[in-house]
Amino acid sequence: AQSVTQPDIHITVSEGASLELRCNYSYGATPYLFWYVQSPGQGLQLLLKYFSGDTLVQGIKGFEAEFKRSQSSFNLRKPSVHWSDAAEYFCAVARGSGGYQKVTFGTGTKLQVIP
Amino acid sequence: EPEVTQTPSHQVTQMGQEVILRCVPISNHLYFYWYRQILGQKVEFLVSFYNNEISEKSEIFDDQFSVERPDGSNFTLKIRSTKLEDSAMYFCASSERTSGSNEQFFGPGTRLTVL
């Protein structure tokens, strides 16, 4: 069965500092990988996704993520964090192709940004 | 830009009552999903629906739950007799039938509070 591990429950960074959120997945075939962001009381917004091709994917709001098959990782990065980036971030993996997919989410990492 | 919509945004009900959560998926999408997020926990898959039948359901989706696409636009989740532990945010999602990515688009969620 597919699974996602986000080892960091809570991360605090200073505004302007770089950010890396870790994500490891378990899936038997080529995964479809996602990062979502959720502000308090809000829905899920897709930051970026990986399906195939270039292993470094660019997303919205200046985020990027790198797929490393050898490490089963899909870490999210941002070179300079803004106060508005404070939110909860979910890594997710989907199985299936050409139609139905079931998305499995990680437990999330809460990002706090300090001045 | 087309989006998934959900109503109501917040539903309060008494334990044992029936609730229906409504979703309007993106118009050309054919796959529909419900997910649940209990406060402070991760997003969990409940059920997927395609061609007027359930494709897959999780162990959470017991006999108290049902889904329906009553017309060409709505997709509903019914909980027959709500329990306190059904209190959660419920997200609807949809995806189109294409090869490759099949990204799921999530709605803003309905917060269900069972008293």
Side-chain angles (χ1 to χ4, degrees):
Chain A
Q2 63 208 59
S3 67
V4 177
T5 302
Q6 293 180 250
D8 303 306
I9 297 172
H10 193 184
I11 282 185
T12 300
V13 299
S14 299
E15 191 169 14
S18 64
L19 171 71
E20 182 168 26
L21 302 183
R22 295 183 290 165
C23 172
N24 291 95
Y25 68 89
S26 172
Y27 183 58
T30 301
Y32 294 162
L33 295 161
F34 309 85
W35 274 99
Y36 289 89
V37 61
Q38 184 181 37
S39 296
Q42 301 299 308
L44 297 162
Q45 182 180 25
L46 181 68
L47 284 176
L48 48 77
K49 60 193 178 193
Y50 170 79
F51 297 117
S52 64
D54 193 347
T55 56
L56 183 64
V57 292
Q58 302 296 321
I60 62 171
K61 304 184 180 187
F63 285 93
E64 66 178 27
E66 186 171 12
F67 170 60
K68 293 185 177 179
R69 184 186 298 275
S70 61
Q71 298 176 21
S72 297
S73 69
F74 189 58
N75 294 347
L76 181 72
R77 300 194 294 250
K78 186 170 184 178
S80 178
V81 169
H82 188 261
W83 64 267
S84 60
D85 293 325
E88 188 154 22
Y89 292 79
F90 292 94
C91 181
V93 61
R95 70 152 197 259
S97 62
Y100 151 72
Q101 287 182 346
K102 166 187 166 181
V103 179
T104 297
F105 288 82
T107 50
T109 298
K110 280 189 182 167
L111 174 65
Q112 182 182 11
V113 181
I114 57 177
Chain B
E1 185 176 332
E3 57 184 17
V4 176
T5 59
Q6 290 185 242
T7 54
S9 57
H10 191 187
Q11 173 92 45
V12 181
T13 189
Q14 295 290 326
M15 189 170 57
Q17 295 297 304
E18 174 184 287
V19 295
I20 298 177
L21 310 183
R22 302 180 192 280
C23 168
V24 178
I26 295 173
S27 62
N28 64 333
H29 285 188
L30 298 176
Y31 293 83
F32 312 111
Y33 312 83
W34 283 102
Y35 293 80
R36 179 182 83 174
Q37 184 183 31
I38 294 172
L39 185 65
Q41 299 185 22
K42 69 176 180 179
V43 178
E44 301 172 288
F45 169 80
L46 288 179
V47 66
S48 61
F49 190 86
Y50 169 70
N51 200 24
N52 281 321
E53 59 183 29
I54 291 174
S55 309
E56 183 175 350
K57 58 184 181 179
S58 71
E59 61 275 9
I60 303 169
F61 195 88
D62 61 23
D63 292 344
Q64 293 299 311
F65 292 88
S66 62
V67 290
E68 190 179 30
R69 188 153 163 82
D71 53 40
S73 61
N74 289 283
F75 179 52
T76 61
L77 173 69
K78 181 193 291 186
I79 309 175
R80 289 192 183 80
S81 177
T82 50
K83 309 185 199 63
L84 295 176
E85 53 265 36
D86 293 326
S87 295
M89 181 78 95
Y90 288 82
F91 293 104
C92 172
S94 69
S95 63
E96 61 182 330
R97 182 179 175 85
T98 61
S99 61
S101 66
N102 254 333
E103 173 189 343
Q104 290 183 26
F105 292 80
F106 284 82
T110 292
R111 180 167 298 285
L112 176 65
T113 302
V114 182
L115 303 176

PDB file of all heavy atoms in Angstrom, chain B residues 70-101:
ATOM      1  N   PRO B  70     -26.934  12.743  -8.126  1.00  0.00           N
ATOM      2  CA  PRO B  70     -28.371  12.761  -8.423  1.00  0.00           C
ATOM      3  C   PRO B  70     -28.728  13.389  -9.772  1.00  0.00           C
ATOM      4  O   PRO B  70     -29.779  13.110 -10.321  1.00  0.00           O
ATOM      5  CB  PRO B  70     -28.948  13.590  -7.267  1.00  0.00           C
ATOM      6  CG  PRO B  70     -27.820  14.436  -6.798  1.00  0.00           C
ATOM      7  CD  PRO B  70     -26.581  13.623  -7.005  1.00  0.00           C
ATOM      8  N   ASP B  71     -27.836  14.221 -10.282  1.00  0.00           N
ATOM      9  CA  ASP B  71     -28.090  14.852 -11.576  1.00  0.00           C
ATOM     10  C   ASP B  71     -26.750  15.034 -12.267  1.00  0.00           C
ATOM     11  O   ASP B  71     -25.756  14.472 -11.829  1.00  0.00           O
ATOM     12  CB  ASP B  71     -28.840  16.176 -11.385  1.00  0.00           C
ATOM     13  CG  ASP B  71     -28.120  17.089 -10.399  1.00  0.00           C
ATOM     14  OD1 ASP B  71     -26.873  17.157 -10.445  1.00  0.00           O
ATOM     15  OD2 ASP B  71     -28.785  17.707  -9.567  1.00  0.00           O
ATOM     16  N   GLY B  72     -26.723  15.823 -13.313  1.00  0.00           N
ATOM     17  CA  GLY B  72     -25.478  15.947 -14.065  1.00  0.00           C
ATOM     18  C   GLY B  72     -24.436  16.834 -13.444  1.00  0.00           C
ATOM     19  O   GLY B  72     -23.324  16.926 -13.961  1.00  0.00           O
ATOM     20  N   SER B  73     -24.766  17.471 -12.317  1.00  0.00           N
ATOM     21  CA  SER B  73     -23.797  18.424 -11.784  1.00  0.00           C
ATOM     22  C   SER B  73     -23.427  18.187 -10.327  1.00  0.00           C
ATOM     23  O   SER B  73     -22.318  18.503  -9.924  1.00  0.00           O
ATOM     24  CB  SER B  73     -24.318  19.854 -11.957  1.00  0.00           C
ATOM     25  OG  SER B  73     -25.535  20.017 -11.258  1.00  0.00           O
ATOM     26  N   ASN B  74     -24.326  17.646  -9.529  1.00  0.00           N
ATOM     27  CA  ASN B  74     -24.046  17.520  -8.108  1.00  0.00           C
ATOM     28  C   ASN B  74     -23.477  16.154  -7.745  1.00  0.00           C
ATOM     29  O   ASN B  74     -23.754  15.149  -8.398  1.00  0.00           O
ATOM     30  CB  ASN B  74     -25.327  17.744  -7.301  1.00  0.00           C
ATOM     31  CG  ASN B  74     -25.772  19.182  -7.328  1.00  0.00           C
ATOM     32  OD1 ASN B  74     -25.221  20.018  -6.642  1.00  0.00           O
ATOM     33  ND2 ASN B  74     -26.768  19.474  -8.138  1.00  0.00           N
ATOM     34  N   PHE B  75     -22.702  16.137  -6.669  1.00  0.00           N
ATOM     35  CA  PHE B  75     -22.153  14.903  -6.106  1.00  0.00           C
ATOM     36  C   PHE B  75     -22.305  15.033  -4.606  1.00  0.00           C
ATOM     37  O   PHE B  75     -21.817  15.995  -4.016  1.00  0.00           O
ATOM     38  CB  PHE B  75     -20.687  14.745  -6.520  1.00  0.00           C
ATOM     39  CG  PHE B  75     -20.003  13.520  -5.986  1.00  0.00           C
ATOM     40  CD1 PHE B  75     -20.558  12.269  -6.147  1.00  0.00           C
ATOM     41  CD2 PHE B  75     -18.771  13.629  -5.344  1.00  0.00           C
ATOM     42  CE1 PHE B  75     -19.915  11.134  -5.670  1.00  0.00           C
ATOM     43  CE2 PHE B  75     -18.117  12.509  -4.859  1.00  0.00           C
ATOM     44  CZ  PHE B  75     -18.692  11.253  -5.025  1.00  0.00           C
ATOM     45  N   THR B  76     -23.030  14.104  -3.984  1.00  0.00           N
ATOM     46  CA  THR B  76     -23.352  14.274  -2.576  1.00  0.00           C
ATOM     47  C   THR B  76     -22.774  13.152  -1.717  1.00  0.00           C
ATOM     48  O   THR B  76     -22.592  12.019  -2.175  1.00  0.00           O
ATOM     49  CB  THR B  76     -24.877  14.309  -2.361  1.00  0.00           C
ATOM     50  OG1 THR B  76     -25.441  13.070  -2.795  1.00  0.00           O
ATOM     51  CG2 THR B  76     -25.508  15.449  -3.133  1.00  0.00           C
ATOM     52  N   LEU B  77     -22.521  13.508  -0.466  1.00  0.00           N
ATOM     53  CA  LEU B  77     -22.118  12.544   0.556  1.00  0.00           C
ATOM     54  C   LEU B  77     -23.169  12.603   1.648  1.00  0.00           C
ATOM     55  O   LEU B  77     -23.447  13.673   2.197  1.00  0.00           O
ATOM     56  CB  LEU B  77     -20.749  12.905   1.132  1.00  0.00           C
ATOM     57  CG  LEU B  77     -20.281  12.066   2.331  1.00  0.00           C
ATOM     58  CD1 LEU B  77     -19.964  10.632   1.891  1.00  0.00           C
ATOM     59  CD2 LEU B  77     -19.033  12.686   2.983  1.00  0.00           C
ATOM     60  N   LYS B  78     -23.783  11.457   1.940  1.00  0.00           N
ATOM     61  CA  LYS B  78     -24.800  11.391   2.977  1.00  0.00           C
ATOM     62  C   LYS B  78     -24.261  10.580   4.144  1.00  0.00           C
ATOM     63  O   LYS B  78     -23.682   9.499   3.957  1.00  0.00           O
ATOM     64  CB  LYS B  78     -26.075  10.746   2.443  1.00  0.00           C
ATOM     65  CG  LYS B  78     -27.196  10.673   3.479  1.00  0.00           C
ATOM     66  CD  LYS B  78     -28.335   9.765   3.069  1.00  0.00           C
ATOM     67  CE  LYS B  78     -29.118  10.298   1.920  1.00  0.00           C
ATOM     68  NZ  LYS B  78     -30.316   9.467   1.632  1.00  0.00           N
ATOM     69  N   ILE B  79     -24.485  11.110   5.322  1.00  0.00           N
ATOM     70  CA  ILE B  79     -24.199  10.357   6.546  1.00  0.00           C
ATOM     71  C   ILE B  79     -25.543  10.141   7.217  1.00  0.00           C
ATOM     72  O   ILE B  79     -26.230  11.102   7.584  1.00  0.00           O
ATOM     73  CB  ILE B  79     -23.240  11.106   7.499  1.00  0.00           C
ATOM     74  CG1 ILE B  79     -21.995  11.555   6.742  1.00  0.00           C
ATOM     75  CG2 ILE B  79     -22.848  10.208   8.661  1.00  0.00           C
ATOM     76  CD1 ILE B  79     -21.046  12.414   7.571  1.00  0.00           C
ATOM     77  N   ARG B  80     -25.945   8.883   7.371  1.00  0.00           N
ATOM     78  CA  ARG B  80     -27.319   8.574   7.784  1.00  0.00           C
ATOM     79  C   ARG B  80     -27.588   8.938   9.231  1.00  0.00           C
ATOM     80  O   ARG B  80     -28.600   9.520   9.555  1.00  0.00           O
ATOM     81  CB  ARG B  80     -27.603   7.092   7.570  1.00  0.00           C
ATOM     82  CG  ARG B  80     -27.724   6.728   6.140  1.00  0.00           C
ATOM     83  CD  ARG B  80     -28.291   5.341   5.930  1.00  0.00           C
ATOM     84  NE  ARG B  80     -28.315   5.007   4.512  1.00  0.00           N
ATOM     85  CZ  ARG B  80     -27.265   4.581   3.821  1.00  0.00           C
ATOM     86  NH1 ARG B  80     -26.112   4.405   4.415  1.00  0.00           N
ATOM     87  NH2 ARG B  80     -27.368   4.328   2.526  1.00  0.00           N
ATOM     88  N   SER B  81     -26.721   8.568  10.112  1.00  0.00           N
ATOM     89  CA  SER B  81     -26.924   8.800  11.536  1.00  0.00           C
ATOM     90  C   SER B  81     -25.592   9.266  12.107  1.00  0.00           C
ATOM     91  O   SER B  81     -24.711   8.450  12.406  1.00  0.00           O
ATOM     92  CB  SER B  81     -27.393   7.511  12.218  1.00  0.00           C
ATOM     93  OG  SER B  81     -27.536   7.714  13.612  1.00  0.00           O
ATOM     94  N   THR B  82     -25.444  10.558  12.218  1.00  0.00           N
ATOM     95  CA  THR B  82     -24.132  11.111  12.544  1.00  0.00           C
ATOM     96  C   THR B  82     -23.706  10.769  13.967  1.00  0.00           C
ATOM     97  O   THR B  82     -24.530  10.682  14.896  1.00  0.00           O
ATOM     98  CB  THR B  82     -24.134  12.631  12.377  1.00  0.00           C
ATOM     99  OG1 THR B  82     -25.264  13.189  13.065  1.00  0.00           O
ATOM    100  CG2 THR B  82     -24.193  13.019  10.913  1.00  0.00           C
ATOM    101  N   LYS B  83     -22.383  10.590  14.117  1.00  0.00           N
ATOM    102  CA  LYS B  83     -21.791  10.353  15.421  1.00  0.00           C
ATOM    103  C   LYS B  83     -20.866  11.533  15.736  1.00  0.00           C
ATOM    104  O   LYS B  83     -20.470  12.281  14.841  1.00  0.00           O
ATOM    105  CB  LYS B  83     -20.963   9.059  15.426  1.00  0.00           C
ATOM    106  CG  LYS B  83     -21.671   7.841  14.903  1.00  0.00           C
ATOM    107  CD  LYS B  83     -20.769   6.634  15.089  1.00  0.00           C
ATOM    108  CE  LYS B  83     -21.135   5.456  14.245  1.00  0.00           C
ATOM    109  NZ  LYS B  83     -21.048   5.623  12.821  1.00  0.00           N
ATOM    110  N   LEU B  84     -20.519  11.650  16.995  1.00  0.00           N
ATOM    111  CA  LEU B  84     -19.618  12.728  17.387  1.00  0.00           C
ATOM    112  C   LEU B  84     -18.315  12.681  16.597  1.00  0.00           C
ATOM    113  O   LEU B  84     -17.773  13.719  16.189  1.00  0.00           O
ATOM    114  CB  LEU B  84     -19.312  12.664  18.888  1.00  0.00           C
ATOM    115  CG  LEU B  84     -20.477  12.895  19.835  1.00  0.00           C
ATOM    116  CD1 LEU B  84     -20.034  12.694  21.278  1.00  0.00           C
ATOM    117  CD2 LEU B  84     -21.071  14.282  19.651  1.00  0.00           C
ATOM    118  N   GLU B  85     -17.839  11.457  16.357  1.00  0.00           N
ATOM    119  CA  GLU B  85     -16.547  11.309  15.672  1.00  0.00           C
ATOM    120  C   GLU B  85     -16.614  11.602  14.175  1.00  0.00           C
ATOM    121  O   GLU B  85     -15.599  11.556  13.487  1.00  0.00           O
ATOM    122  CB  GLU B  85     -15.974   9.901  15.901  1.00  0.00           C
ATOM    123  CG  GLU B  85     -16.916   8.773  15.553  1.00  0.00           C
ATOM    124  CD  GLU B  85     -17.695   8.255  16.749  1.00  0.00           C
ATOM    125  OE1 GLU B  85     -18.072   9.071  17.624  1.00  0.00           O
ATOM    126  OE2 GLU B  85     -17.941   7.036  16.801  1.00  0.00           O
ATOM    127  N   ASP B  86     -17.805  11.893  13.668  1.00  0.00           N
ATOM    128  CA  ASP B  86     -17.915  12.317  12.269  1.00  0.00           C
ATOM    129  C   ASP B  86     -17.581  13.800  12.103  1.00  0.00           C
ATOM    130  O   ASP B  86     -17.487  14.294  10.968  1.00  0.00           O
ATOM    131  CB  ASP B  86     -19.327  12.065  11.734  1.00  0.00           C
ATOM    132  CG  ASP B  86     -19.657  10.590  11.638  1.00  0.00           C
ATOM    133  OD1 ASP B  86     -18.737   9.786  11.351  1.00  0.00           O
ATOM    134  OD2 ASP B  86     -20.826  10.228  11.846  1.00  0.00           O
ATOM    135  N   SER B  87     -17.426  14.494  13.196  1.00  0.00           N
ATOM    136  CA  SER B  87     -17.042  15.905  13.122  1.00  0.00           C
ATOM    137  C   SER B  87     -15.690  16.019  12.437  1.00  0.00           C
ATOM    138  O   SER B  87     -14.698  15.432  12.891  1.00  0.00           O
ATOM    139  CB  SER B  87     -16.967  16.512  14.524  1.00  0.00           C
ATOM    140  OG  SER B  87     -18.221  16.547  15.138  1.00  0.00           O
ATOM    141  N   ALA B  88     -15.662  16.758  11.340  1.00  0.00           N
ATOM    142  CA  ALA B  88     -14.443  16.855  10.531  1.00  0.00           C
ATOM    143  C   ALA B  88     -14.694  17.845   9.412  1.00  0.00           C
ATOM    144  O   ALA B  88     -15.810  18.317   9.201  1.00  0.00           O
ATOM    145  CB  ALA B  88     -14.070  15.495   9.939  1.00  0.00           C
ATOM    146  N   MET B  89     -13.631  18.119   8.671  1.00  0.00           N
ATOM    147  CA  MET B  89     -13.763  18.850   7.417  1.00  0.00           C
ATOM    148  C   MET B  89     -13.850  17.808   6.314  1.00  0.00           C
ATOM    149  O   MET B  89     -13.041  16.875   6.268  1.00  0.00           O
ATOM    150  CB  MET B  89     -12.546  19.755   7.207  1.00  0.00           C
ATOM    151  CG  MET B  89     -12.591  20.574   5.946  1.00  0.00           C
ATOM    152  SD  MET B  89     -13.680  21.995   6.107  1.00  0.00           S
ATOM    153  CE  MET B  89     -12.492  23.239   6.556  1.00  0.00           C
ATOM    154  N   TYR B  90     -14.829  17.967   5.449  1.00  0.00           N
ATOM    155  CA  TYR B  90     -15.022  17.030   4.349  1.00  0.00           C
ATOM    156  C   TYR B  90     -14.705  17.744   3.038  1.00  0.00           C
ATOM    157  O   TYR B  90     -15.279  18.781   2.733  1.00  0.00           O
ATOM    158  CB  TYR B  90     -16.456  16.495   4.338  1.00  0.00           C
ATOM    159  CG  TYR B  90     -16.719  15.543   5.474  1.00  0.00           C
ATOM    160  CD1 TYR B  90     -17.026  16.030   6.751  1.00  0.00           C
ATOM    161  CD2 TYR B  90     -16.642  14.172   5.299  1.00  0.00           C
ATOM    162  CE1 TYR B  90     -17.240  15.167   7.810  1.00  0.00           C
ATOM    163  CE2 TYR B  90     -16.856  13.288   6.351  1.00  0.00           C
ATOM    164  CZ  TYR B  90     -17.150  13.801   7.605  1.00  0.00           C
ATOM    165  OH  TYR B  90     -17.363  12.938   8.652  1.00  0.00           O
ATOM    166  N   PHE B  91     -13.787  17.160   2.298  1.00  0.00           N
ATOM    167  CA  PHE B  91     -13.372  17.726   1.017  1.00  0.00           C
ATOM    168  C   PHE B  91     -13.883  16.860  -0.134  1.00  0.00           C
ATOM    169  O   PHE B  91     -13.733  15.645  -0.113  1.00  0.00           O
ATOM    170  CB  PHE B  91     -11.845  17.806   0.915  1.00  0.00           C
ATOM    171  CG  PHE B  91     -11.215  18.779   1.862  1.00  0.00           C
ATOM    172  CD1 PHE B  91     -10.561  18.329   2.997  1.00  0.00           C
ATOM    173  CD2 PHE B  91     -11.262  20.136   1.614  1.00  0.00           C
ATOM    174  CE1 PHE B  91      -9.968  19.219   3.879  1.00  0.00           C
ATOM    175  CE2 PHE B  91     -10.673  21.038   2.488  1.00  0.00           C
ATOM    176  CZ  PHE B  91     -10.030  20.576   3.630  1.00  0.00           C
ATOM    177  N   CYS B  92     -14.431  17.514  -1.107  1.00  0.00           N
ATOM    178  CA  CYS B  92     -14.788  16.875  -2.363  1.00  0.00           C
ATOM    179  C   CYS B  92     -13.672  17.157  -3.369  1.00  0.00           C
ATOM    180  O   CYS B  92     -13.021  18.207  -3.305  1.00  0.00           O
ATOM    181  CB  CYS B  92     -16.113  17.462  -2.853  1.00  0.00           C
ATOM    182  SG  CYS B  92     -16.621  16.957  -4.495  1.00  0.00           S
ATOM    183  N   ALA B  93     -13.448  16.244  -4.278  1.00  0.00           N
ATOM    184  CA  ALA B  93     -12.456  16.455  -5.332  1.00  0.00           C
ATOM    185  C   ALA B  93     -12.969  15.825  -6.617  1.00  0.00           C
ATOM    186  O   ALA B  93     -13.818  14.925  -6.595  1.00  0.00           O
ATOM    187  CB  ALA B  93     -11.109  15.841  -4.949  1.00  0.00           C
ATOM    188  N   SER B  94     -12.455  16.311  -7.740  1.00  0.00           N
ATOM    189  CA  SER B  94     -12.812  15.705  -9.015  1.00  0.00           C
ATOM    190  C   SER B  94     -11.607  15.700  -9.933  1.00  0.00           C
ATOM    191  O   SER B  94     -10.662  16.476  -9.744  1.00  0.00           O
ATOM    192  CB  SER B  94     -13.990  16.442  -9.671  1.00  0.00           C
ATOM    193  OG  SER B  94     -13.609  17.736 -10.111  1.00  0.00           O
ATOM    194  N   SER B  95     -11.627  14.801 -10.900  1.00  0.00           N
ATOM    195  CA  SER B  95     -10.566  14.755 -11.894  1.00  0.00           C
ATOM    196  C   SER B  95     -11.171  14.324 -13.226  1.00  0.00           C
ATOM    197  O   SER B  95     -12.231  13.701 -13.271  1.00  0.00           O
ATOM    198  CB  SER B  95      -9.451  13.793 -11.469  1.00  0.00           C
ATOM    199  OG  SER B  95      -9.921  12.459 -11.370  1.00  0.00           O
ATOM    200  N   GLU B  96     -10.476  14.673 -14.307  1.00  0.00           N
ATOM    201  CA  GLU B  96     -10.982  14.307 -15.627  1.00  0.00           C
ATOM    202  C   GLU B  96     -10.300  13.040 -16.110  1.00  0.00           C
ATOM    203  O   GLU B  96      -9.272  12.630 -15.605  1.00  0.00           O
ATOM    204  CB  GLU B  96     -10.756  15.451 -16.603  1.00  0.00           C
ATOM    205  CG  GLU B  96      -9.299  15.833 -16.797  1.00  0.00           C
ATOM    206  CD  GLU B  96      -9.136  17.008 -17.747  1.00  0.00           C
ATOM    207  OE1 GLU B  96      -9.983  17.161 -18.646  1.00  0.00           O
ATOM    208  OE2 GLU B  96      -8.152  17.747 -17.603  1.00  0.00           O
ATOM    209  N   ARG B  97     -10.904  12.421 -17.062  1.00  0.00           N
ATOM    210  CA  ARG B  97     -10.354  11.179 -17.551  1.00  0.00           C
ATOM    211  C   ARG B  97      -9.388  11.493 -18.687  1.00  0.00           C
ATOM    212  O   ARG B  97      -9.791  11.721 -19.816  1.00  0.00           O
ATOM    213  CB  ARG B  97     -11.451  10.248 -18.064  1.00  0.00           C
ATOM    214  CG  ARG B  97     -10.900   8.912 -18.550  1.00  0.00           C
ATOM    215  CD  ARG B  97     -11.991   7.995 -19.040  1.00  0.00           C
ATOM    216  NE  ARG B  97     -11.459   6.772 -19.597  1.00  0.00           N
ATOM    217  CZ  ARG B  97     -11.145   5.693 -18.892  1.00  0.00           C
ATOM    218  NH1 ARG B  97     -11.342   5.699 -17.605  1.00  0.00           N
ATOM    219  NH2 ARG B  97     -10.668   4.625 -19.473  1.00  0.00           N
ATOM    220  N   THR B  98      -8.126  11.549 -18.352  1.00  0.00           N
ATOM    221  CA  THR B  98      -7.092  11.711 -19.369  1.00  0.00           C
ATOM    222  C   THR B  98      -5.966  10.771 -19.013  1.00  0.00           C
ATOM    223  O   THR B  98      -5.872  10.305 -17.891  1.00  0.00           O
ATOM    224  CB  THR B  98      -6.536  13.148 -19.396  1.00  0.00           C
ATOM    225  OG1 THR B  98      -5.959  13.450 -18.134  1.00  0.00           O
ATOM    226  CG2 THR B  98      -7.633  14.139 -19.715  1.00  0.00           C
ATOM    227  N   SER B  99      -5.104  10.522 -19.945  1.00  0.00           N
ATOM    228  CA  SER B  99      -3.952   9.693 -19.620  1.00  0.00           C
ATOM    229  C   SER B  99      -2.945  10.539 -18.857  1.00  0.00           C
ATOM    230  O   SER B  99      -2.927  11.762 -18.982  1.00  0.00           O
ATOM    231  CB  SER B  99      -3.310   9.163 -20.891  1.00  0.00           C
ATOM    232  OG  SER B  99      -2.872  10.238 -21.685  1.00  0.00           O
ATOM    233  N   GLY B 100      -2.154   9.911 -18.069  1.00  0.00           N
ATOM    234  CA  GLY B 100      -1.102  10.633 -17.375  1.00  0.00           C
ATOM    235  C   GLY B 100      -1.516  11.158 -16.015  1.00  0.00           C
ATOM    236  O   GLY B 100      -1.881  10.399 -15.147  1.00  0.00           O
ATOM    237  N   SER B 101      -1.517  12.455 -15.866  1.00  0.00           N
ATOM    238  CA  SER B 101      -1.531  13.044 -14.545  1.00  0.00           C
ATOM    239  C   SER B 101      -2.817  12.856 -13.764  1.00  0.00           C
ATOM    240  O   SER B 101      -2.799  12.411 -12.629  1.00  0.00           O
ATOM    241  CB  SER B 101      -1.228  14.525 -14.642  1.00  0.00           C
ATOM    242  OG  SER B 101      -2.273  15.183 -15.331  1.00  0.00           O
TER     243      SER B 101
END
